């Protein structure tokens, strides 16, 4: 039967897909727990200001991609385009207390982008934040945890790109240097980058357009303009990555698209993803939160769930599928149907999955259902079996059938793996 499509760039996660999602989510929770991270759930809706201030008014996300509306009280609300800003709002107190917090989150994010393979308007992220940390070792540990997660899932063939954006103090002066260097070359840049030049010259560095890449490749190394402290901090991050045994590449043009980053930035890319090849992205940040005096600092990353599943499929990693119910109970006549309801509950109480026919259809139609749902056994009874206290139990794989006392059914179905 044809189903009605949801809005472009969104999709349904159907029962046949859910086991793979749950598996990935449970591996995430297990791996992150090894590093002391607990789950946080923040609202999908936040005040718009949180993202405008947190992510940055000049970013593509805030300028063009947010789903924003005004509520009845006249406040502007936005469907979260990412998870970090909300988590910083929720944990600003912990960060200020000096205790910090290690959290992970799973859930839907919303960006009004042009839908394409791997680019969606509602997508799901798995993210982590080490809030309040400031050691270079924390940056490296975050990347090491991401590696452990990918390896535990069986993902091979990814590349880890790391870079530094320098300190937030460096950022302003480097913006000016970039503008100075790029403005004379503006005619050779794509239209997007020409308009970015004044607003956000950093983004020219990681533009995918080949014209812009040629311009950027000819620029002197921008890290030369960073303070000595920023450069030695990045050296320390790399030393820690080596200590963790992480295989990474320094990618001098990696800047990432959110303004809250300072110092380390990183991305995991995978060729199985095609044009949208970023599987995960993250870095160290200082996120301004409305109503909070100092930006909330920390380090973390997020992976796109849909992209993760695309990679797993491209690698033919075996994903869990929906377990069919073990038993289908077929009833001939209303007395048998009532007796089956009771028997179904007894089997379920013993942990056996059961679907019982809830109307007295023909046996043929009930057996078709047993087949369609993939039950291992079809248990059939009518008035005659009911009177004699027995059931007919058919093993669906070979159509063999035995008659058993009802009291032996649990042992029979639980003890056999057809
Ligand atoms: P992001 O790079 O914007 O970073 O997103 C992280 C990941 O989410 C991407 O690598 C990608 O896999 C997935 N993703 C992003 N946009 C889409 C889309 N339109 N469709 C499908 N998947 C998408 C952040 O969101 C930061 N909050 C990450 C972070 C956490 N940094 C520090 N902590």
């Amino acid at each position: 039967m044809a189903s009605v499509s949801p809005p472009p760039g969104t999709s349904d996660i159907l029962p046949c897909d859910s086991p793979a999602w749950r598996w990935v989510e449970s591996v995430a929770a297990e791996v992150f727990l090894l590093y002391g991270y607990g789950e946080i759930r923040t609202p999908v809706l936040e005040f718009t200001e949180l993202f405008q201030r947190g992510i940055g008014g000049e970013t593509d996300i805030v300028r063009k991609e947010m789903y924003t509306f005004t509520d009845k009280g006249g406040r502007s609300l936005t469907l979260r385009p990412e998870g970090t800003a909300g988590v910083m709002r929720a944990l600003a107190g912990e960060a200020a207390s000096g205790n910090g917090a290690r959290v992970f989150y799973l859930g839907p994010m919303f960006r009004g982008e042009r839908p394409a393979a791997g680019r969606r308007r509602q997508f799901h992220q798995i993210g982590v934040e080490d809030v309040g940390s400031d050691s270079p070792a924390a940056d490296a540990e975050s990347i090491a945890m991401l590696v452990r997660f990918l390896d535990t899932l069986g993902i091979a063939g990814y590349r880890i790109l790391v870079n530094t954006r320098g300190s937030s103090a460096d950022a302003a002066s480097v913006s000016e240097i970039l503008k100075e260097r790029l403005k004379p070359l503006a005619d050779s840049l794509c239209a997007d980058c020409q308009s970015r030049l004044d607003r956000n010259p950093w983004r020219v560095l990681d533009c995918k357009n080949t014209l812009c890449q040629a311009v950027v490749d000819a620029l002197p190394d921008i890290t030369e303009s960073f303070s000595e402290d920023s450069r030695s901090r990045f050296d320390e991050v790399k030393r820690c990555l080596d200590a963790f045994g992480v295989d990474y590449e320094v990618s001098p043009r990696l800047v990432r698209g959110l303004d809250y980053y300072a110092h380390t930035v990183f991305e995991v890319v995978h060729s199985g993803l095609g044009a949208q090849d970023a599987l995960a992205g993250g870095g160290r940040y200082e996120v301004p939160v409305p109503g909070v005096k100092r930006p909330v600092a920390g380090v973390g990353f997020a992976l796109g769930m849909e992209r993760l599943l695309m990679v797993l499929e491209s690698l033919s990693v075996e994903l869990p599928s929906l377990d069919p119910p073990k038993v289908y109970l077929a009833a001939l006549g209303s007395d048998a149907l009532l007796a089956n309801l009771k028997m179904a509950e007894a089997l379920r109480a013993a942990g056996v999955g059961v679907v019982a026919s809830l109307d007295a259809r023909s046996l043929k139609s009930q057996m078709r259902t047993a087949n369609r749902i993939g039950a291992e056994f079809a248990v059939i009874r009518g008035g005659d079996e009911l009177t004699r206290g027995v059931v007919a139990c058919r093993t669906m794989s070979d159509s063999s059938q035995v008659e058993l006392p009802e009291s032996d059914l649990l042992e029979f179905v639980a003890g056999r793996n057809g």
Side-chain angles (χ1 to χ4, degrees), residues 239-251:
R239 269 194 293 277
C240 293
L241 283 172
D242 293 337
F244 276 113
V246 170
D247 201 5
Y248 60 92
E249 298 165 38
V250 175
S251 174

Side-chain angles (χ1 to χ4, degrees), residues 61 81-84 105 111 113 118-121 123 125 128-129 256 258 260-261 267 278-283 285 299-304 306-307:
I61 295 180
E82 58 99 56
T84 309
Y105 48 90
R111 296 184 192 174
E113 297 193 75
R119 193 170 58 208
R120 319 182 49 76
R121 291 182 172 164
F123 58 99
Q125 281 187 347
V128 308
E129 314 293 353
R256 310 238 331 113
L258 302 103
Y260 50 56
Y261 291 115
E267 234 163 55
L279 176 58
Y285 46 74
V299 63
F301 61 79
L303 302 108
E306 288 80 358
R307 293 191 190 173

